[in-house]
């Protein structure tokens, strides 16, 4: 995590690649919502979040909780696909090492 000094306190600076990915994910969420012919108000209501929270997700602000993001993903019908996409055993490395016993903790 990068820190920048602002006055006497440090503030967190979002890495450029993370900001780009947040923005791209937000665009994808917005596009899926529109493909499903859902208004922002409908998605927010069905997800149990405010329209401001949905707007923050769609604009890639990075301020929404993980739970709220997943509520939206469920509402637009892509939650399971997103979870599957993060499955390490669906990767070449994961398949190669799938028979290994993973440590409870990784230490230096």
């Amino acid at each position: 995590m990068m820190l920048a000094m602002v006055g006497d306190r440090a503030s967190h600076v979002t890495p450029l690649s993370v900001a780009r990915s947040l923005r791209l994910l937000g665009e994808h969420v917005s596009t899926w919502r529109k493909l499903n012919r859902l208004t922002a108000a409908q998605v927010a209501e069905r997800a149990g979040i405010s329209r401001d929270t949905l707007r923050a997700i769609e604009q890639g602000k990075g301020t929404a909780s993980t739970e709220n993001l997943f509520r939206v993903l469920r509402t637009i019908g892509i939650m399971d696909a997103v979870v599957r996409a993060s499955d390490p055993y669906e990767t070449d490395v994961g398949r190669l090492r799938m028979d290994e016993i993973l440590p409870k903790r990784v230490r230096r």
Side-chain angles (χ1 to χ4, degrees):
M1 183 177 313
M2 299 181 343
L3 297 175
M5 292 303 292
V6 178
D8 290 335
R9 61 189 169 87
S11 67
H12 297 282
V13 176
T14 303
L16 186 58
S17 61
V18 172
R20 211 175 299 129
S21 293
L22 283 167
R23 190 176 60 251
L24 188 56
L25 179 62
E27 289 173 12
H28 291 307
V29 166
S30 177
T31 301
W32 273 106
R33 175 178 61 76
K34 293 169 185 174
L35 286 171
N36 286 316
R37 305 281 193 256
L38 295 168
T39 67
Q42 288 172 314
V43 170
E45 181 181 334
R46 292 175 189 181
I49 63 172
S50 70
R51 286 186 64 197
D52 286 342
T53 298
L54 177 61
R55 187 175 303 113
I57 291 169
E58 289 188 351
Q59 292 176 354
K61 297 236 192 267
T63 55
S65 71
T66 306
E67 180 179 345
N68 285 340
L69 172 60
F70 274 81
R71 286 170 172 262
V72 170
L73 297 178
R74 183 191 69 201
T75 300
I76 61 175
I78 63 168
M79 182 180 71
D80 293 338
V82 170
V83 172
R84 265 193 315 278
S86 68
D87 182 351
Y89 294 112
E90 291 296 321
T91 67
D92 291 340
V93 171
R95 282 189 289 273
L96 275 171
R97 297 184 177 169
M98 96 182 337
D99 293 330
E100 291 181 18
I101 297 173
L102 296 178
K104 291 185 181 185
R105 281 186 276 204
V106 176
R107 296 187 178 122
R108 286 186 183 204

